Amino acid sequence: MAPSYRDVKASGIRLRVTDVGQGPTLLLLHTALLDRTAWHGMLDALTKHFRVIAPDLPGFGESEKPTVSRFAYDVAAFTHVVIDLFAALGLGQAHLAGHGLGGAVALSLANSSPELVSQLILVDSMCYQTRPDLLRRVAELPFVGGFTVKQLWGKALFRSYCREVLTDPKRPMALPRVDHYYEQFNTPSARNSALATLRATADTRPVVANTARVSARSLVVWGRHDAMYPAALGQRLAREIRGAGFQLLDSGHTPSEEQPEALAEVFRKFCSFERA
């Protein structure tokens, strides 16, 4: 099914949103540096069973890129926007899935607004403190970090990051997909947003605090070859969320790009549990 999109205001910020399919709602949240199209390889499979909603988070993709004076770019700020998106679209309750940063936002939302979340899926989610990757280490440097991310992080470095960190180097992200994400990143406002997000989400302790309080039926999905967050962290997360399941996929950090059909089937089976 060809994806359709529309613009929706949430917390005063314009979001570009893919909204396609019919059935129970499945809301998908992407990670930093990617956008809603990271899920598009799964749409044909998912829209046979669900209404799929995938927003570009503030600062990414084709959504508005507010200044840091208007938007904090931390997990709490993203969570507030997504809660407002539920209201703007009149969703009521939905299945919620998040990848990386989107996983941290999904955890926060499931904790603060449990009435909105039917079932929760966390895909290679940001949660526990790890050794920062090169991009995050650079971003955290005073003065030099900002200049590097906003001015010097060119296409070659971006390609290397996507193909060696965000995906399994043995099966790297296709260059047309990498270049799509680079085009979305390569504007002054988008670079500012990316830098602000990397800095504002460096401390993951608030995310960890949310894990034990999640009450939704939950599944943790992880790429076996994730170079950013090792699979052992996914196993730990599944243990610390009461009753959560755990499933490994043969991918790196971004299974929606690397194994979209397999990930879509995992989503379908888990979210169809109530109707089985």
Side-chain angles (χ1 to χ4, degrees):
M1 178 179 292
S4 60
Y5 65 85
R6 56 173 163 155
D7 288 336
V8 180
K9 276 286 186 78
S11 300
I13 298 171
R14 180 190 57 78
L15 303 182
R16 181 62 55 87
V17 179
T18 293
D19 185 352
V20 62
Q22 295 182 331
T25 301
L26 173 59
L27 179 61
L28 307 175
L29 303 177
H30 66 82
T31 194
L33 296 186
L34 304 188
D35 58 37
R36 73 190 196 282
T37 68
W39 305 105
H40 281 190
M42 302 166 59
L43 290 183
D44 283 347
L46 292 177
T47 53
K48 296 174 183 176
H49 309 277
F50 307 101
R51 176 190 179 189
V52 177
I53 294 175
D56 284 334
L57 293 172
F60 297 95
E62 297 177 290
S63 284
E64 186 179 350
K65 297 164 182 65
T67 63
V68 292
S69 63
R70 285 185 56 212
F71 188 73
Y73 288 99
D74 58 9
V75 170
F78 286 116
T79 302
H80 184 74
V81 168
V82 176
I83 290 172
D84 220 43
L85 180 64
F86 269 80
L89 294 175
L91 297 184
Q93 195 175 70
H95 304 304
L96 180 63
H99 167 228
L101 169 63
V105 175
L107 264 172
S108 175
L109 194 154
N111 175 50
S112 65
S113 302
E115 73 281 359
L116 298 180
V117 181
S118 173
Q119 300 186 88
L120 177 68
I121 305 176
L122 303 171
V123 181
D124 296 79
S125 178
M126 173 191 293
C127 185
Y128 304 108
Q129 206 73 37
T130 62
R131 184 175 184 273
D133 59 57
L134 176 61
L135 177 57
R136 192 175 289 276
R137 293 201 302 273
V138 168
E140 292 175 3
L141 294 172
F143 306 114
V144 174
F147 179 74
T148 300
V149 174
K150 291 192 282 187
Q151 301 289 336
L152 301 182
W153 201 271
K155 181 178 281 190
L157 284 172
F158 193 93
R159 280 181 167 182
S160 176
Y161 183 77
C162 287
R163 289 165 64 86
E164 296 177 15
V165 178
L166 292 187
T167 52
D168 181 357
K170 295 179 181 178
R171 287 182 295 261
M173 189 185 301
L175 280 177
R177 296 295 300 143
V178 176
D179 291 346
H180 161 80
Y181 293 128
Y182 181 74
E183 288 171 8
Q184 297 297 320
F185 166 78
N186 193 31
T187 68
S189 60
R191 286 175 178 261
N192 286 338
S193 295
L195 177 64
T197 301
L198 291 169
R199 287 177 167 173
T201 60
D203 183 358
T204 62
R205 286 175 295 181
V207 183
V208 176
N210 289 322
T211 58
R213 296 195 289 268
V214 170
S215 59
R217 180 173 176 264
S218 303
L219 176 67
V220 177
V221 184
W222 225 263
R224 188 185 306 274
H225 310 292
D226 189 335
M228 183 179 291
Y229 304 138
L233 296 182
Q235 293 172 318
R236 176 183 171 187
L237 182 58
R239 288 195 303 268
E240 295 187 4
I241 297 176
R242 186 171 62 252
F246 179 73
Q247 186 157 347
L248 275 175
L249 292 179
D250 191 25
S251 74
H253 179 68
T254 311
S256 64
E257 288 282 1
E258 301 168 74
Q259 297 280 354
E261 297 87 359
L263 186 60
E265 183 63 8
V266 169
F267 281 22
R268 185 196 66 77
K269 287 182 176 179
F270 182 73
C271 293
S272 299
F273 173 83
E274 293 177 340
R275 306 189 304 279

